[in-house]
Amino acid sequence: MTRVIYMDLNRCIFCRACEVACEKEHNGISNMFVQLVDERYAVPMNCRHCETSPCTLVCPTQAVHREGPDAVIVDTMVCIGCKLCNLACPFGMIWPDTFNKVARKCDLCIHRREAGLDPACVATCSARALAFGELDDFLVDIRKTSGVTIIHSAGGDSGTLITLPGNGRDPKTVHSISSD
Amino acid sequence: MTNPIVDFANSDCILVIGSNFAENHPIVSRWVLDAKRGGARIIVADPRFTPTAWSADIFLQLIPGSDITLINAMMHVIIEEGLQNQEFINNRTTGFEQLKDNVRDYSAERAEEMTCVPAELIRQAARAYASAQASTIIYCMGVTQHTCGTETVIDCANLAMLCGHLGRPGTGVNPLRGQDNVQGACDMGALVNVYPGYQTVTDPAIRNKFASNWGLPAESLSTEVGLTLVEMAHAAHRGELKAMLIMGENPAVGDPNLNHVWESLQNLDFMAIIELFMSETAQLADIVLPAASFAEKRGTKTTTDRRVQWFEQAISPIAEARPDWQIICELAERLGLGYAFRYQSIEEIMLEMNRLTPSYSGITPERLKETTGGIPWPCPSIDHPGTPILYTEKFSKPDGLGVFTPVEFKLPAEETSPEYPLVLTTGRVVMHFNSGAMTRRSPALSSREPELFVQIHPATAHRYAVQDGEKAIVRTRRGEAQAKVRVTRRIGEGVAFMPFHFPDTNILTTDALDPRAKIPEYKVAACLISPAQGKEGEQPQ
């Protein structure tokens, strides 16, 4: 199973503590980038660790490679600084460290995971916008929550039939089927 | 706070007024967002559309200083529509009729004129707050840092009592304290008018209790109320205050009307400071005593929700640094008062607190060391579990009843004029802490927020011919400061916002005080903004 960093986009408050935590774990270099959108949404962006990762495909020296089931990492001793991975990444999440002339990216805090800890960005997130775990578990949670939301927004109570949107009727209409 | 922070998650409606907790208390967001996930409605009243307001179902963009009008208008709507909790009012309060008379004049329409918040939104907010099962109020410095700060806090309590949103999970009136352990400092009597546990200094019986415990003659302890921070600056300016011992404070950046403060500090005969860093104030001091940081000492801290927690030392103090309590004891020794300060350990000091501070009586060092998460006061005895929620059955009045105290709208001390047409309001950003004495030293933080800025609406920028990203001069009746312009629609027209973590902001702010709490009006000053002459780095023409 693959463990991922899950971002709850409703919860990020743009405090950027994840960036600072990442910097602390990686010798002053942050691989976390919180993007402010329309001055009212914040998206904590880091490497998606793609299953078919364009960065590993274009790397001429296999410096960028998959390590274990979870992470795509850069072996900076093998990296030649050609920047092809920077061009290939659709998310802009590999960037050139022009001082050391190597590619930099999120390593999913490999050293922390080996010690049984969550990645630093996740551990530090005050608003719990970030979480680390099995993707399937997150999806189960989302299904549960959206199920509850559907029922509650339709005013669901025991003995009522819920009418969902899309059949031409007012979605809020609730027909009682209790027998009295 | 009447209720714990985690209890926000149990609210059905959260009214946030004068707090930008997403930036200033990010951890609070966790519980507020949990409440929202469970279906709670969030109302945010702020002059700016802050990250806190992102999660708001109802956003009330009021003009700075108009909070009382907004709250009174909400109460007007609640009473008009009969949404008040009459059972709670009858059983637990007095003075409802006076409140009713007082808010009669505050219709939503009149409030719209005074606050710039649409009347319909005021009505929606009032209905949402009043009709939810459990509503809570979160407030912070946006409410208190005004000359009418005390009245606004009273009005928050009026609103909560009107709807019976007190004394139950998910309810309450919850001020978020601005600093780690500032609650503890106040509890311990680091205020001008009280001994530990808010026991008044003017009461001779209380004075005698403390004097006998400390082995001092009673008359050696004053029964007069002392000077507050800003009053000290004024007294030093007049030459009446000669010497200061400053600890954990950076008045040369943090106090209002800084040009005046600098003159005051320089007018002192002697100043000693107990500090971690060579702050702007430390640079003016005659003697700097190096203090231990949080990691180099042990003891207790009391959080904003009244929880007393034990913490252990992580590392030995570096170089000559010492914990504050040891510095104070050593100073007392040198002053010939060592006999009253014979403490051997933090535990011994804590046991004295248990003896002299009724609300801390049962919070012993032994218990604290075993209690993860701490114990919330009041905790009157060793077998008492602590009190996470206040006022569950009665209020702290002799008859146990809450008193409705009508308050009227009051204009800020300084109003805009043709010469100073904009309202300047100050506050914090997520990257910095207070005067920046610590955070401006952190490259990780200061690289993300490196310099003083002024946030204004595009129309304001256009009118005063200043450009986004360029330097501007912000001027008030007290002085001027240079700041980088940030043009944004997050702020209303006619309002300018500056963070106070940088040395120049408080040159601009006013030292007009709330007559009771003596808090300065950091949130409202009249200002003018104009382009800085010459490009960055060049001398002004």
Side-chain angles (χ1 to χ4, degrees):
Chain A
M1 294 300 283
T2 310
R3 287 181 304 169
V4 298
I5 293 176
Y6 173 72
M7 321 182 274
D8 185 336
L9 299 178
N10 286 313
R11 295 187 73 109
C12 181
I13 53 172
F14 198 52
C15 77
R16 300 171 77 189
C18 51
E19 293 180 2
V20 176
C22 186
E23 227 168 80
K24 181 174 158 283
E25 289 298 326
H26 299 97
N27 298 317
I29 293 169
S30 176
N31 292 300
M32 195 76 204
F33 303 88
V34 188
Q35 296 301 309
L36 187 61
V37 180
D38 297 339
E39 291 196 292
R40 65 173 305 160
Y41 304 100
V43 187
M45 301 262 293
N46 71 335
C47 172
R48 307 309 310 146
H49 299 279
C50 310
E51 196 61 51
T52 306
S53 34
C55 53
T56 60
L57 298 179
V58 297
C59 181
T61 62
Q62 282 82 53
V64 190
H65 64 282
R66 181 167 285 279
E67 185 133 315
D70 303 328
V72 172
I73 68 165
V74 184
D75 183 344
T76 48
M77 297 309 285
V78 180
C79 176
I80 56 172
C82 71
K83 306 183 187 67
L84 282 182
C85 55
N86 308 146
L87 303 176
C89 177
F91 303 102
M93 284 298 125
I94 308 191
W95 52 279
D97 174 347
T98 50
F99 183 77
N100 293 299
K101 299 191 166 56
V102 289
R104 295 282 182 192
K105 69 181 292 304
C106 166
D107 62 354
L108 221 53
C109 278
I110 200 159
H111 56 298
R112 286 178 59 91
R113 286 187 290 124
E114 278 167 2
L117 299 167
D118 281 350
C121 53
V122 173
T124 206
C125 182
S126 342
R128 288 201 176 127
L130 299 175
F132 185 65
E134 301 283 349
L135 182 56
D136 280 351
D137 292 344
F138 292 119
L139 296 179
V140 167
D141 276 354
I142 296 165
R143 278 179 219 130
K144 272 187 197 158
T145 310
S146 53
V148 169
T149 308
I150 288 168
I151 289 293
H152 284 181
S153 63
D157 242 328
S158 76
T160 57
L161 175 69
I162 307 298
T163 312
L164 288 174
N167 59 1
R169 281 186 292 189
D170 178 1
K172 296 274 184 202
T173 309
V174 176
H175 299 268
S176 176
I177 55 164
S178 55
S179 53
D180 51 20
Chain B
M1 290 172 62
T2 59
N3 291 50
I5 290 177
V6 295
D7 191 37
F8 292 147
N10 299 320
S11 285
D12 301 304
C13 177
I14 300 178
L15 170 62
V16 185
I17 180 162
S19 164
N20 178 13
F21 57 74
E23 288 199 74
N24 303 323
H25 305 84
I27 199 80
V28 168
S29 296
R30 181 180 293 186
W31 313 108
V32 172
L33 290 166
D34 281 355
K36 178 150 174 109
R37 191 181 171 177
R41 302 194 77 193
I42 315 287
I43 306 163
V44 176
D46 200 294
R48 298 187 302 139
F49 187 72
T50 62
T52 307
W54 293 355
S55 64
D57 298 279
I58 304 172
F59 174 54
L60 311 171
Q61 191 163 24
L62 77 179
I63 57 167
S66 63
D67 310 74
I68 290 177
T69 308
L70 177 70
I71 298 168
N72 278 355
M74 285 178 67
M75 293 195 286
H76 176 102
V77 171
I78 289 165
I79 295 170
E80 188 180 56
E81 302 188 2
L83 300 172
Q84 72 271 28
N85 185 335
Q86 204 59 49
E87 192 189 334
F88 188 93
I89 295 168
N90 294 345
N91 298 336
R92 305 246 350 231
T93 69
T94 59
F96 174 59
E97 289 305 318
Q98 287 91 310
L99 180 87
K100 205 170 156 182
D101 286 345
N102 179 62
V103 301
R104 189 164 290 136
D105 295 336
Y106 290 85
S107 69
E109 281 68 27
R110 179 168 174 235
E112 174 171 339
E113 284 168 29
M114 296 164 74
T115 61
C116 294
V117 179
E120 187 45 36
L121 285 184
I122 298 176
R123 284 204 191 86
Q124 284 178 19
R127 287 173 197 141
Y129 177 81
S131 52
Q133 284 249 301
S135 296
T136 189
I137 299 175
I138 300 177
Y139 74 82
C140 197
M141 302 307 219
V143 153
T144 58
Q145 287 178 340
H146 291 281
T147 46
C148 60
T150 308
E151 280 99 333
T152 317
V153 170
I154 289 170
D155 226 16
C156 289
N158 285 338
L159 176 61
M161 289 196 296
L162 182 68
C163 302
H165 289 316
L166 275 164
R168 290 178 286 126
T171 67
V173 179
N174 296 299
L176 302 177
R177 306 301 302 251
Q179 299 169 45
D180 172 32
N181 204 28
V182 70
Q183 182 67 50
C186 294
D187 295 348
M188 286 309 110
L191 292 168
V192 295
N193 55 345
V194 291
Y195 286 111
Y198 305 96
Q199 301 173 80
T200 174
V201 296
T202 54
D203 182 342
I206 288 168
R207 174 186 61 174
N208 295 346
K209 175 174 100 170
F210 280 91
S212 71
N213 203 284
W214 289 335
L216 295 167
E219 58 281 6
S220 67
L221 299 178
S222 172
T223 50
E224 279 174 43
V225 170
L227 295 177
T228 61
L229 193 57
V230 177
E231 289 174 321
M232 284 183 211
H234 290 166
H237 205 267
R238 292 192 301 267
E240 291 164 16
L241 185 75
K242 305 287 186 194
M244 282 177 103
L245 172 66
I246 298 174
M247 55 193 298
E249 190 78 28
N250 188 10
V253 173
D255 277 17
N257 192 4
L258 270 188
N259 285 337
H260 187 271
V261 171
W262 277 74
E263 286 168 17
S264 305
L265 294 175
Q266 279 159 338
N267 206 24
L268 292 168
D269 295 343
F270 174 75
M271 189 215 293
I273 187 163
I274 305 171
E275 246 301 353
L276 300 184
F277 298 111
M278 203 62 184
S279 68
E280 290 79 359
T281 310
Q283 287 169 29
L284 298 174
D286 298 293
I287 293 176
V288 181
L289 301 170
S293 70
F294 73 98
E296 301 164 298
K297 59 187 176 188
R298 56 202 290 277
T300 66
K301 287 180 195 189
T302 308
T303 61
T304 182
D305 51 6
R306 296 172 284 107
R307 266 180 313 134
V308 187
Q309 295 183 87
W310 190 266
F311 70 99
E312 282 296 340
Q313 180 178 317
I315 56 167
S316 299
I318 293 165
E320 297 172 285
R322 291 194 206 185
D324 302 274
W325 72 272
Q326 286 179 9
I327 298 175
I328 292 167
C329 290
E330 287 284 334
L331 284 173
E333 188 70 45
R334 306 291 200 283
L335 291 166
L337 294 166
Y339 61 89
F341 288 81
R342 294 254 180 268
Y343 303 104
Q344 298 303 315
S345 66
I346 282 287
E347 281 84 350
E348 205 179 310
I349 298 172
M350 194 70 202
L351 288 169
E352 183 189 293
M353 286 182 206
N354 299 148
R355 280 200 307 279
L356 293 174
T357 313
S359 53
Y360 278 64
S361 290
I363 308 180
T364 60
E366 291 73 35
R367 273 186 84 184
L368 280 178
K369 286 178 194 174
E370 290 163 7
T371 315
T372 312
I375 302 168
W377 64 259
C379 176
S381 64
I382 192 98
D383 51 3
H384 190 285
T387 314
I389 300 179
L390 292 178
Y391 316 129
T392 50
E393 275 146 36
K394 55 189 175 75
F395 292 103
S396 43
K397 292 276 178 187
D399 58 2
L401 296 179
V403 183
F404 282 110
T405 311
V407 297
E408 292 282 3
F409 163 76
K410 211 167 81 179
L411 283 170
E414 189 168 271
E415 289 186 74
T416 54
S417 64
E419 205 183 344
Y420 298 102
L422 300 170
V423 177
L424 173 69
T425 190
T426 66
R428 303 165 202 240
V429 296
V430 66
M431 288 299 154
H432 289 290
F433 181 77
N434 278 13
S435 78
M438 292 186 285
T439 48
R440 279 186 281 118
R441 285 180 164 77
S442 159
L445 301 175
S446 59
S447 66
R448 287 177 170 78
E449 202 68 88
E451 61 190 335
L452 182 57
F453 66 85
V454 56
Q455 206 180 39
I456 48 171
H457 189 271
T460 313
H462 181 75
R463 184 169 317 130
Y464 298 99
V466 292
Q467 304 280 332
D468 185 50
E470 290 189 358
K471 294 271 185 181
I473 304 281
V474 184
R475 195 175 285 115
T476 66
R477 292 183 175 89
R478 290 155 295 281
E480 61 178 51
Q482 205 173 83
K484 197 172 230 178
V485 176
R486 281 193 197 164
V487 175
T488 171
R489 290 183 186 278
R490 275 179 178 185
I491 195 165
E493 279 188 56
V495 183
F497 169 84
M498 291 171 85
F500 54 55
H501 315 289
F502 299 92
D504 289 348
T505 308
N506 279 317
I507 291 172
L508 305 170
T509 49
T510 163
D511 50 3
L513 302 180
D514 175 299
R516 271 183 277 183
K518 311 284 186 188
I519 192 167
E521 192 154 60
Y522 286 110
K523 297 300 186 214
V524 183
C527 78
L528 175 72
I529 187 163
S530 57
Q533 296 298 309
K535 294 232 165 55
E536 203 176 338
E538 285 177 20
Q539 285 296 312
Q541 303 284 311

